[in-house]
Amino acid sequence: MVSKASLPYDTKVHIVMPDTTGASYAAAGVDIEAGDRAVELMKEWVKKTRRPEVLGGLGGFAGLFDASALKNYERPLLASATDGVGTKVDIARQLGVYDTIGHDLVAMVMDDIVVCGAEPLFMTDYICVGKVHPERVAAIVKGIAEGCVLAGCALVGGETAEHPGLLGADDFDVAGAGTGVVEADRLLGPDRIRTGDAVIAMASSGLHSNGYSLVRHVLLNEGGLALDAHLDGLGRTLGEELLEPTKIYSLDCLALMRTAEVHAFSHVTGGGLAANLARVIPDGLHAVVDRSTWTPGAIFDLVGRTGKVERLELEKTLNMGVGMIAIVPEESTDVALTALADRGVDAWVAGEITDRADHESGAALVGDYAA
């Protein structure tokens, strides 16, 4: 007897069960046929992410990637990352919109990888549901596949697990892991940063995928706001704003590296701008970011006002309108800004790298946001 506790993309199981009055997998809540249907629906989207190095298709136990493509590197370093999208999935569930959350997943994984200068290569995902609704699972994978195209990586496989009894029939969660490659002598990071370097901020598309536990508590629970409410300043419903996909910067960062000298990137995720920027600042230097160089979007003000959340707490939790940071030599600033503008990325000089007398490292936000 065949038994599968989960349903990977590569699963194609047909089971003929004898007539029985005993317990069964289906009676326990696991629908293998629904899983098969989901796999069929998602295939066309996965194919759109294919890179020439990918071998085979859906159907194997593992995704295959031809590593001989790395022979052109002198010393290839593999970069890997894994992440999820947090409680933003509950907004998708409430709205019944499932084809954007995958963009968030790819962004959270692949934009971490590109920070060190690595080119995204491939990704796998894990989707956990209370009950397999084939069209819903396929929509999630569609979003992941579209995100992979935007990041330039292949989606080589994944797993869909059905967990009845642990999750409600409409509950789900997503996670993913990715791999990239960078030439050793092009590795970006703290060792390259120098006093006088410019801190270039790249605008976020909104909240991205962090801080949703706070946002949901403040706006939906305490504030009692409805997801279909049209609020001043947003220009759309609250639900549409909260579900706005995380911007994927991977190809923009790689293009910037080909055009201008880049010393480091910082992906602004959980912990906010200052904390994430501090992760790439070497001992003895300090990143100073001037708030007056930009105006956070209306959603950040809405969270702050509705929940009476202090600015420091907002900045420790949310990206405040900046999703990615590039640190470049001062003389490369104009070239870098032009390269990003040519790709449609809203970017500006937000600060600089300075010496720090106590020889520790860090980052700080100064001044007030522009009105």
Side-chain angles (χ1 to χ4, degrees):
M1 179 177 177
V2 178
S3 175
K4 290 289 288 182
S6 55
L7 301 163
Y9 292 175
D10 50 30
T11 298
K12 188 69 175 177
V13 182
H14 296 281
I15 303 175
V16 178
M17 296 293 292
D19 292 335
T20 178
T21 58
S24 69
Y25 214 9
V30 177
D31 189 341
I32 292 178
E33 290 184 358
D36 289 345
R37 171 65 177 157
V39 172
E40 288 300 311
L41 292 174
M42 69 178 68
K43 278 184 176 180
E44 64 173 295
W45 299 108
V46 177
K47 287 180 180 178
K48 295 179 184 295
T49 74
R50 191 176 183 89
R51 288 175 52 126
E53 304 94 340
V54 176
L55 301 179
L58 299 183
F61 282 91
L64 298 175
F65 191 91
D66 186 357
S68 67
L70 306 184
K71 288 181 179 179
N72 294 328
Y73 287 77
E74 291 292 327
R75 185 187 170 200
L77 302 180
L78 294 180
S80 66
T82 186
D83 212 334
V85 299
T87 60
K88 188 172 184 175
V89 297
D90 192 55
I91 304 298
R93 180 192 63 79
Q94 291 187 59
L95 292 175
V97 177
Y98 300 96
D99 62 352
T100 63
I101 204 75
H103 287 231
D104 297 283
L105 180 63
V106 175
M108 298 304 289
V109 173
M110 288 306 178
D111 283 348
D112 274 357
I113 284 176
V114 82
V115 161
C116 68
E119 174 193 356
L121 296 176
F122 58 86
M123 182 169 174
T124 58
D125 64 58
Y126 179 81
I127 303 170
C128 183
V129 299
K131 178 178 176 59
V132 171
H133 300 281
E135 289 76 15
R136 186 176 301 174
V137 173
I140 295 171
V141 175
K142 171 180 178 287
I144 296 171
E146 289 174 338
C148 285
V149 171
L150 293 174
C153 65
L155 181 59
V156 297
E159 182 90 356
T160 300
E162 192 170 31
H163 288 175
L166 294 181
L167 296 176
D170 292 329
D171 292 339
F172 76 101
D173 200 4
V174 295
T179 299
V181 63
V182 60
E183 188 70 75
D185 63 8
R186 299 198 67 191
L187 183 68
L188 303 183
D191 291 345
R192 293 179 179 264
I193 297 176
R194 300 288 182 268
T195 301
D197 283 354
V199 175
I200 294 179
M202 301 182 214
S204 69
S205 56
L207 293 169
H208 283 186
S209 300
N210 296 105
Y212 272 75
S213 293
L214 173 65
V215 171
R216 289 167 51 250
H217 175 68
V218 166
L219 299 183
L220 306 183
N221 297 338
E222 288 193 341
L225 299 177
L227 290 175
D228 60 358
H230 288 266
L231 303 176
D232 292 342
L234 295 184
R236 52 182 170 178
T237 68
L238 176 61
E240 289 170 335
E241 178 69 31
L242 297 184
L243 208 57
E244 176 67 33
T246 305
K247 181 171 176 57
I248 298 173
Y249 300 93
S250 303
L251 295 184
D252 300 319
C253 291
L254 293 176
L256 180 59
M257 290 175 59
R258 292 192 295 268
T259 306
E261 182 179 352
V262 178
H263 287 167
F265 289 114
S266 175
H267 186 198
V268 183
T269 57
L273 196 162
N276 281 284
L277 182 52
R279 294 166 65 180
V280 299
I281 305 301
D283 290 344
L285 296 184
H286 195 60
V288 180
V289 176
D290 186 352
R291 296 185 184 94
S292 70
T293 60
W294 82 97
T295 303
I299 186 62
F300 302 100
D301 179 62
L302 178 65
V303 174
R305 285 188 294 104
T306 304
K308 298 180 181 178
V309 184
E310 295 183 358
R311 185 172 71 179
L312 180 60
E313 184 65 25
L314 284 177
E315 292 175 340
K316 287 168 54 180
T317 308
L318 307 178
N319 66 59
M320 301 305 290
V322 178
M324 181 71 77
I325 291 286
I327 299 177
V328 306
E330 183 181 11
E331 60 271 20
S332 297
T333 302
D334 290 342
V335 174
L337 291 175
T338 298
L340 291 170
D342 288 344
R343 293 187 58 83
V345 179
D346 182 13
W348 64 94
V349 176
E352 64 176 337
I353 304 299
T354 64
D355 290 318
R356 181 162 172 158
D358 57 13
H359 301 295
E360 294 183 359
S361 63
L365 303 181
V366 299
D368 295 318
Y369 293 110

